Structure formats: structure tokens, C-alpha cells
Amino acid sequence: MNNTLAYVLAAATALSAAAKDAVDYVDPLIGTGTKRSDEANAGGMMPYTGVPFGMWQWVPMTRLSEHGITSFSANDTMFRGFVATRQPAPWMGDYGQISIQAQCGGTPVCDYERRGVAMVKEKCAYAPHRATVATADGIFGEVASSSRAAILRFTFPKGAKSRRLVIDASRFFLSCFATDVPQPGGIRFAADGMSAETWNSDRCDSLETPELKNFFARCRIEFSEKAVATGTYKGGFRRGPRRRPGAKIEWSDYPEISQTPGSREVEADMCGGWCDFGPGDGPIEVRIGCSFIDAAQAKDNLVREAGDGFDIAALAARSRAAWESQLSRIEIDAPEDVRTIFYTAMYHACLLPREIGEYGRYYSGILDKVVEGDSYTDFSLWDTYRTEHAFLTFVASERVDPMMRSLLQVYDQGGSLPKFPSLSYTSQMEADSAEVVLAEAYAKGFRGFDAEKAWEACWKSATVPQINDITHHWKERHPWRGYPAMRCGLTRYMENGWVAADECFESVSRTCDFGLDDMATASLGEALGHAKEAAYLRARARNYTNIWNAAENCFWPRHENGIWKKGLNHDDGHGDYTECTPDTSVWQIPYDVEGLKKLLGGQEATVKRLDEYFEKHFFNAGDPPGSMSLHENEPTHHIAYLYNLLDEHDKCAKTVHRILTTTYSTEAWGFEGNDDCGQMSAWYILSALGIYPTLPYTGYYEIGSPLVRSAKIRIGEPYAAATLEVRVKNYAPGRWRVKRASFNGRDLAARRISHLDLIKGGVLEFEMDAAD
């Protein structure tokens, strides 16, 4: 290729990239497929349409969601309608959903299985602000959504004998975490044929949360034409054996339904209806507003967010603008595949936590009533404390204080900080990661929440065992017992110095994670003047030394009487470790690397052990070995950055670069393991920028190896407006070694930098080693 042609092609590529907005790089299909046999542990994402942090998202429904099952999979071929979902992750359930499908010709088909229609995939299009699905029967369905309202348009084939909408008002779940008690729901069509109302109290996680007698998701639905006929359906309540999470579920497991033509109203555990608009060539448009407060608020939300008409293009344009405003807070120059993964990751990381407030009021799942104020829910704290919340302090900084206030609302209303608040308390995951998130926000200068109350809540979590702490085994996702789960196993942790394996599930991970929580709470306490209490927690954080089994050279489960658990091997988590094995657990105390070095025999032995871990375990996982990596689960996310804490900066950079370039993809599988409410995505974003919050509560970042040529991060409220630039000298794809890192000309020899420095703006510069 001659130099002139090369220049022309390079210029054309640059112009093409410059013409695209950040939102144009988002591929919602990333993370919706899998390269593994156990699909439930794949990316777990869906092609969401809505707005950042919205109260709901709309998704093409190819299956019914359950625990371990999302409403969409790239592997499916049949379309069953659009669903407004609030399912935060595969392993948490949906609640308050509604779905709608268009049909033409014949009689109404309401059964979920039989009504599936093949998708014409090459004619389907998915974007954060609008989705279009084409089906083999000639129908085109489109949806655009705001936080609490949506507009759908269905275009029918020319000469359609009927234009029909099937609306699913309520359903039940087969998951073992859903109640056997029927959850009421219903639909009511207006007599004039121009509108309908739906309601349900569906909650897939109902058994592990308090009973919420007053919870109802309500929808106001308006049609662009008058319905000439209506009907309703309902399903009889039938349940076979409960299904474990992620278990294979057949369509025949759901109850048969009965249809009643001419009916305008029905209430049942599983029910819905249809409305027929007669023959014609015109599209049918639908406006839907939702509320957890009441029907009047659902209508108000609809008018506020969708206006008075059915202009789907206008709503899509507003939603696109909201996404572009959010995503363009980071502007990167990078190869096209990196841009696609990066901005898709930002899209995923800006879905949750979700808004639950409705213009000054919100339904509290803790109090089971409507209260004044605004709030957020669906915090996957054990996952997201690691990177997601650090990411939000950059690109959604105006939401951080309200999110912290939301965590403290739970404490005020229920007496305990939450583990994974999804409308209400749940027992999902272990430890008490809200402590880390609150301490991080304070360390990073956020002052729009009551810091003393945060300290009070964290101190209580750290020092007050919950009811029946030593009589329950606290297996993950246990049923609601009348009080929220806090630090399960805390009694023995305080008495003996470790969580007892014969009394508490996941005892090793709890002991290690409690130390991190202690350090985070101590950090907050010191900043607020609680020196004595902070000193106690810092000393207690060394409890991890009590579960170091020198014979096994690992952290090991220990009974209450001090005896080590027997009959274990190093390749299995066997209920004593959370999403990891004994070999991964070695690295679960980033808060005391000096102490870890003493356990492992010093600096040289520790580095050698870490080298072996990555080659023998981390990058050699999967079936066959090497087909996956251990990046799929969160306990590994900080481990590459431990090299920095061991002054092995090149090894840190090389390992981070390898993870960035081998465990993320533009293909449908997207990344290894569940995204877990933005954590997997946030890891990529910050690591691609060259920084990572190994200890979030300190407000510091470790320097890694950037994947971008350059970046501009726009800092906003509550911080003073500023621009942080990332510049990479000697950039080349595949080049990983950082010869020098500096900030505003100051050498970062320790490869570490403060958040409070970065948000003032300036230039974070990486000089790459051209010898790579």
C-alpha cells in the first residue's frame, strides 16, 4: 500500500469515528450470549431500552425470566412480546413487570409458549434508546422508554384481518425463592376502548424479603385507536416441585390458561387480556406509564415523561439525548473494538442502581408504604463496591449523594444497612459491603448525606450480631426470618477471631471480607473523629490470620472449637468460600499486603505465588483448561493490581492488559461471567483508562496499563467543573509496559493516585515503553 492511499484510508477511518456519537458505539447484544454450557453464569445481559438508571427497561422477550434466567437470550429464535423488566441480574428476580405482544389474524393466543413467533434477526435493531423487532408474521414492533413511561408502535402487514395486542398483567414464578401464595394482579379495559389499567404484586424474590402487602406495580395504558373487542385470560394456580435457581424449566411447567372473549376485567395470580382493533393497514401505538404508588401517579408519570401524544420518535430522541449526555462524560480515542466494548460497558454500568422515586414520593419496600422523598434500589453491593461505585463517582457524581441517602433510608426504616436492596431487604451475598461504599463516598468528598448516621449504621453492623446469629447457618438466599441479614457469623468473629465453619456458611470468605469492612468503617470513623473505635476495628481486621492454615498454605475453614475442617481440596469452594476456591482466597486481604507477605514467607515468595496463581489458576480455568479465566467472579477483580502493592509494576501492567484483551469481546458472549449490576463493565472502563480502586474506601487508585490512546473525563457536580485528560505516549495496540506515569507533570513512582487529585482536572499521562 502506498503512503498516499494509507493516509486517505486513515483519514477516512478517523472521520467515520468522529461522526459517531458515544451512544452509537453501544451494542446491546454484547453480554446476551454465551460461550459456556451453563448459560446462567454467562453475561446475563439483555438489550435494554430506556434511560440511565431508569425505573424500568424494556426488553424483547424470548423466554420467561426466573432465577438464573433472563427474559432474553441471543441464542433464542422466538419473540413473545416486549417486557418492561426490573430484573437487576440473572440471580435476582424480576418484580412488577408487564409485557405486551402484537398479533394479527386468527384467534387470540395468550399462552406464552404457543404465541412465540420467529424473529427475522437481520431486521431487528437494538439501541439504548429504541428497539425494533421484526417477526416472521410481518409485524414490526418498536419501543422507546423513559424512566417511568414508554411508547410502543406495532406495524402490521398490509391487509391484516385483525390488529391485536395481548397484554400480560400478572404472572407467577417457579423459582424456589418465589412464594406459593398467589400474588394478585389484574387488568381492566375502559368501556370506551381507548385505555386500560394493570396491576400486580409479582416478586420473584418474595420469599427472601419481608411480606409486602401493599406493594403493587400499576400501569396506565392508552391506545392510539379504539379497541373494537376485548377479552381476558387467566391461569389456574398450579405448582409442581420448586425449582432450584437456574434449573431447566419447561413451558409445560406453567399453568394452562383459559380465555374469556368479550370480558373487560379479570383478577388472578396469572392473568392478562387482549384488545382487537379490527382490520387495517395503520399502526397501533401504545403509551404506558408505571408507578409503585397508585394509578393516578402512573398516569401522571406518563404525561410528565411521554407528553400527550404517541410520538415514539420524540421519546426515543429524548432517551438518546439522555444516554449521549451520560456516555459522553468520557470521550475516548481508541481502536474501534475498544470503543465498542468501552461504551457498551458504560451503558451497562449506568443501568443500576435504579430510580425508585416518583417526583417527590416513593414506595418503601422496608416500610411497605409510600413515603416522601426520592430513592434508589437494586444495589448489588458485594459485587459493585469493588469498581462500579468508583466509576459512578466520576460519571454520575450528581447521583452519588442520593444513592448514599438511599442506603441510609434503609437503615433508618429497617434498623440495618442492606446487603442487596432490591425493593426491600434480601440476603443475597455475604459481608456488609454498604460500609465500604459509604466510606468510599466520604473519602471522595461527597457531603450530601449524613456522615454521622453512616458511621452509626456501619458501627452497628460491625459490632451488633443479628438475632439468632449462632443458631442459623446463614446459607445464601435464606428465607426471610423477620429480620434483615447483616454480618452473619459476627458473634464468633468477635469472640474467637474467625467466622465458625460449623455454624456459618461461607465462613472463610466472611472472615476475610469482614476485615475489609472493618478497615472501611475504621477509615470513615477516623475521618469523623472516632479514633478509639477505629483503632479497635483496624486491629480486628487482622482476624484473617486466625484462619491461615500453614499446612495447606491457604485460608481454611475452621470450626468454632478451633479444629480445621477436613476432607477438602483446593479446587472446590465447597460452601466455605464465596465464588472462589482456597487458592483464590489467598488474595482476599488487599487491605494488609504486608501481613499477607509474612504468611507467605516474604516478598519473593509472595510474588512467586502470585505468578503461579495467574498461570496455573486464573488464566487456566474452564473446560477445557484455558477456555475461560477466573475473571468471571468478583473476588479475582483486584488481584492483578496486587502486583502494584508488591512494587511489581510491570507485572501489574502486563496482567491487566492480558485480562482486558482476552476476557472481553465485541461478540455476543461479551465477557466472562455475569455483569453483576455493572461491576464487570466498570472493571473494564477504569482499567482501560489506566486506573483501578483496589481499596475503594481509601479514595486511591492503582495505576495499571491503559487501553486507550487518550481520554477526556468531564468532572461535574457536586465537584467543581473540570476536565481530566488521559494521554498515552508511544501508544500501540498490544503495548502494555508503562515506562513512566505522571499527573500534571508529577511523577507517580508508586503508581498510585488520589481521586481528590483527579477530580480537580489535569493530565494523567502514561509513557509506554516502545520496546514492547
Side-chain angles (χ1 to χ4, degrees):
M1 182 184 294
N2 63 50
N3 290 338
T4 301
L5 180 56
Y7 175 80
V8 170
L9 290 176
T13 301
L15 286 172
S16 175
K20 293 175 69 171
D21 291 331
V23 71
D24 296 320
Y25 283 100
V26 175
D27 182 355
L29 291 180
I30 289 176
T32 66
T34 181
K35 65 174 184 178
R36 56 193 298 167
S37 58
D38 56 332
E39 185 174 313
N41 283 311
M45 302 309 291
M46 297 181 275
Y48 305 97
T49 293
V51 293
F53 311 101
M55 193 175 184
W56 63 8
Q57 291 90 29
W58 284 79
V59 169
M61 182 170 63
T62 64
R63 53 179 64 183
L64 287 181
S65 67
E66 294 281 353
H67 273 285
I69 304 173
T70 53
S71 295
F72 177 93
S73 171
N75 299 326
D76 292 342
T77 60
M78 307 296 279
F79 177 67
R80 306 175 198 279
F82 288 108
V83 59
T85 177
R86 296 181 177 86
Q87 185 175 17
W91 297 110
M92 291 298 291
D94 210 342
Y95 56 95
Q97 75 295 320
I98 183 174
S99 51
I100 183 168
Q101 184 189 34
Q103 299 176 356
C104 60
T107 58
V109 182
C110 300
D111 179 87
Y112 286 101
E113 178 187 18
R114 292 189 301 112
R115 80 188 202 199
V117 183
M119 293 186 289
V120 183
K121 291 194 174 184
E122 62 271 18
K123 294 184 179 180
C124 298
Y126 308 109
H129 56 285
R130 192 170 187 167
T132 301
V133 173
T135 50
D137 57 5
I139 296 176
F140 283 81
E142 303 169 77
V143 62
S145 176
S146 62
S147 183
R148 306 165 190 84
I151 296 177
L152 298 93
R153 179 167 63 192
F154 299 97
T155 304
F156 296 83
K158 187 174 182 179
K161 294 182 179 180
S162 67
R163 297 168 298 155
R164 182 185 312 115
L165 299 179
V166 174
I167 302 169
D168 309 301
S170 181
R171 57 162 292 204
F172 65 79
F173 297 91
L174 298 172
S175 162
C176 62
F177 301 116
T179 180
D180 278 326
V181 178
Q183 304 294 294
I187 187 169
R188 180 185 301 112
F189 291 101
D192 63 5
M194 295 299 295
S195 65
E197 292 181 356
T198 67
W199 60 96
N200 71 56
S201 56
D202 297 347
R203 292 190 296 125
C204 189
D205 298 304
S206 54
L207 277 184
E208 66 165 304
T209 68
E211 182 181 6
L212 302 180
K213 296 181 179 180
N214 298 316
F215 167 72
F216 282 94
R218 304 179 187 274
C219 288
R220 166 75 180 183
I221 307 172
E222 298 177 357
F223 310 118
S224 60
E225 290 187 26
K226 178 179 179 178
V228 298
T230 63
T232 60
Y233 77 83
K234 64 180 179 179
F237 184 74
R238 181 184 69 188
R239 184 191 289 277
R242 285 186 172 175
R243 306 303 198 277
R244 62 178 178 80
K248 183 174 177 56
I249 296 174
E250 303 292 344
W251 289 106
S252 58
D253 293 329
Y254 294 98
E256 296 179 357
I257 64 173
S258 59
Q259 299 183 184
T260 307
S263 171
R264 289 195 295 110
E265 183 175 353
V266 68
E267 183 168 341
D269 182 49
M270 180 179 184
C271 66
W274 70 87
C275 45
D276 201 315
F277 299 90
D281 296 331
I284 298 299
E285 295 160 320
V286 184
R287 296 155 37 85
I288 306 180
C290 74
S291 174
F292 290 144
I293 295 176
D294 55 31
Q297 187 65 51
K299 184 174 183 179
D300 182 64
N301 292 345
L302 176 59
V303 173
R304 283 177 184 262
E305 299 188 11
D308 296 322
F310 295 85
D311 193 340
I312 190 172
L315 181 57
R318 291 196 295 273
S319 297
R320 177 189 168 90
W323 276 112
E324 182 60 25
S325 175
Q326 191 70 55
L327 301 181
S328 64
R329 295 185 184 192
I330 303 182
E331 176 186 336
I332 67 169
D333 178 17
E336 289 295 283
D337 61 334
V338 174
R339 289 178 192 251
T340 297
I341 298 171
F342 188 95
Y343 284 115
T344 302
M346 284 192 67
Y347 154 72
H348 288 152
C350 290
L351 291 168
L352 298 167
R354 78 172 71 256
E355 297 171 336
I356 201 76
E358 303 180 49
Y359 301 102
R361 295 186 296 166
Y362 70 97
Y363 168 79
S364 165
I366 308 299
L367 297 174
D368 193 24
K369 67 179 183 179
V370 177
V371 297
E372 299 293 319
D374 282 306
S375 195
Y376 288 81
T377 193
D378 289 326
F379 292 75
S380 183
L381 293 164
W382 181 85
D383 301 293
T384 58
Y385 86 79
R386 304 166 196 270
T387 322
E388 164 75 358
H389 288 280
F391 164 76
L392 296 179
T393 63
F394 280 115
V395 300
S397 52
E398 76 280 9
R399 295 179 184 265
V400 172
D401 280 323
M403 288 178 181
M404 298 307 104
R405 292 197 295 268
S406 298
L407 295 177
L408 294 179
Q409 286 168 353
V410 176
Y411 172 72
D412 275 341
Q413 296 169 5
S416 300
L417 288 171
K419 286 179 178 288
F420 189 142
S422 184
L423 198 65
S424 188
Y425 285 115
T426 74
S427 59
Q428 180 74 315
M429 308 315 296
E430 45 89 0
D432 200 356
S433 304
E435 299 173 41
V436 185
V437 173
L438 288 163
E440 176 188 30
Y442 193 81
K444 291 183 173 180
F446 292 92
R447 297 295 184 266
F449 64 97
D450 189 334
E452 280 296 338
K453 181 170 291 183
W455 161 254
E456 173 190 307
C458 293
W459 177 252
K460 178 179 179 180
S461 293
T463 58
V464 181
Q466 63 187 52
I467 300 171
N468 296 326
D469 186 40
I470 61 174
T471 59
H472 290 313
H473 200 59
W474 302 116
K475 189 170 183 178
E476 185 184 329
R477 307 198 67 100
H478 58 78
W480 178 252
R481 294 190 173 100
Y483 41 86
M486 299 189 299
R487 290 208 205 180
C488 308
L490 179 62
T491 302
R492 300 305 185 198
Y493 179 79
M494 295 173 65
E495 291 177 354
N496 297 344
W498 67 88
V499 176
D502 51 338
E503 293 181 350
C504 195
F505 192 65
E506 300 171 313
S507 64
V508 174
S509 291
R510 291 181 194 273
T511 301
C512 294
D513 285 352
F514 285 4
L516 180 73
D517 298 340
D518 282 349
M519 292 292 281
T521 300
S523 175
L524 178 62
E526 286 168 347
L528 295 173
H530 303 283
K532 181 179 178 180
E533 294 88 344
Y536 162 74
L537 292 173
R538 284 195 180 276
R540 194 177 74 172
R542 287 187 52 81
N543 275 352
Y544 69 85
T545 60
N546 297 318
I547 58 166
W548 182 257
N549 187 332
E552 299 290 347
N553 209 24
C554 279
F555 294 118
W556 209 253
R558 193 174 185 183
H559 294 309
E560 191 275 332
N561 62 7
I563 301 299
W564 297 113
K565 192 172 183 178
K566 299 186 186 327
L568 311 182
N569 63 69
H570 283 248
D571 298 321
D572 184 10
H574 35 68
D576 297 291
Y577 304 82
T578 305
E579 296 189 9
C580 70
T581 63
D583 288 300
T584 295
S585 77
V586 170
W587 312 108
Q588 298 311 298
I589 54 165
Y591 49 90
D592 190 6
V593 170
E594 291 302 311
L596 178 62
K597 286 163 60 175
K598 291 179 181 178
L599 294 178
L600 291 172
Q603 168 79 9
E604 184 177 345
T606 302
V607 174
K608 181 180 178 182
R609 180 75 177 268
L610 190 53
D611 292 343
E612 292 174 347
Y613 171 77
F614 276 105
E615 291 308 316
K616 293 183 179 180
H617 302 284
F618 187 93
F619 289 116
N620 199 41
D623 186 15
S627 61
M628 292 280 291
S629 81
L630 295 181
H631 191 65
E632 63 176 322
N633 279 325
E634 279 72 18
T636 69
H637 280 196
H638 68 281
I639 298 178
Y641 289 94
L642 291 181
Y643 277 123
N644 256 14
L645 301 181
L646 293 166
D647 296 321
E648 293 284 349
H649 305 315
D650 281 356
K651 289 185 176 183
C652 176
K654 186 176 184 178
T655 307
V656 167
H657 187 272
R658 186 176 176 184
I659 297 171
L660 282 167
T661 54
T662 61
T663 69
Y664 292 84
S665 170
T666 58
E667 297 178 28
W669 63 266
F671 33 82
E672 297 179 353
N674 297 157
D675 189 59
D676 285 327
C677 299
Q679 168 57 26
M680 192 73 70
S681 292
W683 191 97
Y684 184 91
I685 296 162
L686 293 191
S687 293
L689 294 172
I691 59 175
Y692 189 78
T694 304
L695 297 173
Y697 60 85
T698 67
Y700 277 83
Y701 300 89
E702 300 301 316
I703 298 295
S705 181
L707 207 59
V708 300
R709 295 188 187 96
S710 65
K712 290 183 179 179
I713 305 171
R714 295 174 176 83
I715 308 299
E717 62 177 286
Y719 301 124
T723 299
L724 170 63
E725 293 189 50
V726 175
R727 297 177 185 171
V728 182
K729 296 175 64 176
N730 300 327
Y731 172 89
R735 189 169 287 169
W736 56 265
R737 183 178 286 113
V738 178
K739 185 176 181 180
R740 180 177 182 265
S742 63
F743 182 65
N744 292 338
R746 172 172 56 89
D747 186 57
L748 300 176
R751 301 291 170 90
R752 188 169 298 113
I753 190 166
S754 164
H755 180 85
L756 294 180
D757 285 339
L758 293 176
I759 54 94
K760 295 175 184 176
V763 178
L764 176 61
E765 185 171 83
F766 297 83
E767 181 182 350
M768 309 305 288
D769 192 334
D772 282 353

